[in-house]
């Protein structure tokens, strides 16, 4: 190997979304509004589920953890993005960048399998309604949620080990608004082929496993619904799954578009738009998706407000 000027990078510079001061102010206002809605929506969802006894069911147990993940997910990225939009210096320390990326991967991996657990819950509720209380008992729900967090941690741990082997000798400028995997791999002067294979294999297998679980669950659900003769029962079954299916489509669609490709094909414009969508917008959309079309949540909110009054 030829000699290479490898130095320890103490910090990175995040280029952000734009250099235009006017656009940055517009984005700051927009992202701040989205973040406030995200916090209020997800905290509100958690509180409603905790305070209303009628929502102490497996479905809402999973939904409360989804709200917690979305709140954490957004809080890992958005506050730093808002700060960078107001300041000309957009530096982030190597340690903070590493922590942000690890938390981001941990929360994202956990959410993938939590959505799978929610799909399994809907499968049991629709395909085996009489056995639902026996199958989805409290201990099993806790075990499923713990498994989701464990897989997310393992995913983050593997990524952390791989990223710790990288060296940065050319530049410390990240062409992104947060410490994402692809732009950092593209920045490294180390040969990243082996690291990309390891990360892609582990992340890809986790993604495929969660998607298979969701697909099998919904194929079985659809087969069961089509056998139902009553129109009102069909509509009720479809409405039960519609919110979750919409959330899954939005989350996995942007995730697959952004990450299931080589880091060298990283595109500043397209990838940043997709990243904004799943790091800032989706955490705001999920509580709206699961509450606006859900009569149980609306009724629970009314009961909680009456208790407060």
């Amino acid at each position: 190997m030829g000699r290479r000027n490898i130095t320890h990078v103490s910090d990175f510079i995040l280029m952000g979304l734009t250099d235009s001061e006017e656009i940055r102010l517009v984005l700051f206002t927009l992202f701040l509004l989205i973040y406030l809605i995200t916090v209020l929506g997800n905290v509100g969802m958690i509180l409603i589920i905790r305070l209303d006894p009628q929502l102490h069911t497996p479905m809402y147990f999973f939904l409360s953890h989804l709200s917690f993940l979305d709140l954490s997910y957004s809080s890992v990225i958005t506050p730093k993005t808002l700060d960078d939009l107001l300041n000309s210096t957009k530096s982030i320390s190597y340690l903070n960048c590493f922590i942000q990326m690890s938390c981001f991967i941990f929360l994202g991996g956990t959410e993938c399998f939590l959505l799978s657990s929610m799909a399994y819950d809907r499968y049991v509720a629709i395909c085996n309604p009489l056995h639902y209380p026996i199958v989805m008992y409290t201990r099993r729900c806790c075990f499923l949620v713990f498994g989701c967090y464990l897989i997310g941690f393992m995913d983050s741990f593997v990524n952390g080990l791989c990223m710790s082997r990288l060296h940065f000798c050319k530049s410390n400028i990240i062409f992104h608004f947060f410490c994402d995997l692809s732009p950092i791999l593209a920045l490294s002067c180390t040969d990243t082929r082996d690291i990309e294979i390891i990360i892609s294999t582990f992340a890809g297998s986790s993604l495929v496993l969660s998607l298979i679980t969701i697909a099998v669950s919904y194929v079985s659900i659809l087969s069961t619904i089509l056998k139902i003769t009553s129109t009102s029962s069909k509509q009720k079954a479809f409405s039960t799954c519609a919110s979750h299916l919409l959330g899954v489509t939005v989350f996995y669609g942007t995730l697959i578009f952004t990450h299931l490709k080589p880091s060298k094909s990283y595109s500043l414009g397209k990838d940043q738009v997709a990243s904004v969508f799943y790091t800032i917008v989706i955490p705001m959309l999920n509580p709206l998706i699961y509450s606006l079309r859900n009569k149980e949540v609306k009724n629970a909110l009314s009961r909680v407000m009456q208790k407060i009054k």
Side-chain angles (χ1 to χ4, degrees):
M1 292 179 64
R3 290 188 176 181
R4 192 179 284 170
N5 181 25
I6 298 176
T7 57
H8 177 71
V9 174
S10 59
D11 59 5
F12 292 102
I13 296 173
L14 296 166
M15 290 303 292
L17 294 164
T18 179
D19 293 327
S20 171
E21 188 173 343
E22 291 80 7
I23 297 176
R24 277 162 50 191
L25 286 173
V26 172
L27 290 176
F28 174 83
T29 306
L30 178 63
F31 289 172
L32 179 61
L33 180 62
I34 290 173
Y35 184 61
L36 291 175
I37 295 172
T38 300
V39 172
L40 290 173
N42 286 292
V43 170
M45 183 68 77
I46 293 169
L47 288 175
I48 290 170
I49 293 170
R50 289 277 297 179
L51 294 173
D52 191 80
Q54 292 188 31
L55 296 185
H56 292 177
T57 62
M59 183 177 78
Y60 291 104
F61 174 72
F62 291 127
L63 188 54
S64 66
H65 280 275
L66 181 65
S67 293
F68 169 74
L69 288 174
D70 283 334
L71 179 62
S72 304
Y73 203 71
S74 182
S75 298
V76 166
I77 307 295
T78 311
K80 174 61 180 169
T81 304
L82 292 172
D83 182 61
D84 289 342
L85 286 169
L86 288 182
N87 297 314
S88 55
T89 55
K90 305 172 185 178
S91 63
I92 183 171
S93 69
Y94 178 86
L95 178 61
N96 286 341
C97 185
F98 183 82
I99 291 172
Q100 186 187 58
M101 182 172 59
S102 298
C103 291
F104 168 71
I105 293 169
F106 164 66
L107 294 166
T110 304
E111 185 160 335
C112 282
F113 282 91
L114 186 64
L115 290 171
S116 300
S117 299
M118 292 173 73
Y120 174 72
D121 172 71
R122 293 298 83 207
Y123 158 74
V124 177
I126 293 173
C127 299
N128 298 290
L130 297 178
H131 296 92
Y132 183 73
I134 301 170
V135 175
M136 299 303 294
Y137 58 95
T138 304
R139 192 172 178 181
R140 175 166 289 177
C141 292
C142 292
F143 177 77
L144 286 171
V145 169
F146 174 76
C148 295
Y149 283 101
L150 181 62
I151 293 171
F153 172 77
M154 289 171 61
D155 197 2
S156 177
F157 182 73
V158 169
N159 277 272
L161 284 179
C162 292
M163 299 302 284
S164 65
R165 297 170 58 190
L166 296 178
H167 296 287
F168 304 93
C169 55
K170 296 177 182 178
S171 172
N172 67 336
I173 298 174
I174 299 174
F175 291 94
H176 210 11
F177 65 94
F178 73 100
C179 294
D180 200 3
L181 192 63
S182 296
I184 292 178
L185 283 172
L187 188 66
S188 174
C189 57
T190 311
D191 186 1
T192 60
R193 281 178 296 180
D194 293 340
I195 292 174
E196 283 189 58
I197 290 171
I198 294 170
I199 291 175
S200 297
T201 301
F202 198 87
S205 58
S206 298
L207 188 63
V208 169
L209 180 60
S210 61
L211 279 172
I212 288 173
T213 304
I214 292 170
V216 170
S217 297
Y218 273 103
V219 167
S220 301
I221 288 169
L222 183 61
S223 176
T224 302
I225 290 175
L226 291 176
K227 294 175 184 177
I228 299 173
T229 54
S230 171
T231 305
S232 60
S233 298
K234 277 187 179 181
Q235 290 176 347
K236 185 177 180 181
F238 272 121
S239 64
T240 303
C241 303
S243 298
H244 178 256
L245 193 57
L246 179 59
V248 165
T249 304
V250 171
F251 181 79
Y252 277 96
T254 51
L255 199 66
I256 290 170
F257 171 81
T258 309
H259 287 100
L260 286 190
K261 60 185 188 316
S263 64
K264 300 303 179 185
S265 68
Y266 173 74
S267 168
L268 183 62
K270 291 180 181 179
D271 285 11
Q272 281 194 342
V273 170
S275 297
V276 166
F277 197 73
Y278 74 77
T279 57
I280 297 176
V281 178
I282 288 179
M284 175 196 70
L285 290 179
N286 275 339
L288 299 177
I289 289 171
Y290 287 99
S291 62
L292 292 179
R293 301 185 74 256
N294 193 320
K295 290 183 179 179
E296 289 182 344
V297 173
K298 291 178 182 178
N299 293 335
L301 178 60
S302 299
R303 288 192 294 269
V304 170
M305 293 301 293
Q306 286 175 0
K307 285 182 181 179
I308 293 171
K309 288 179 180 179

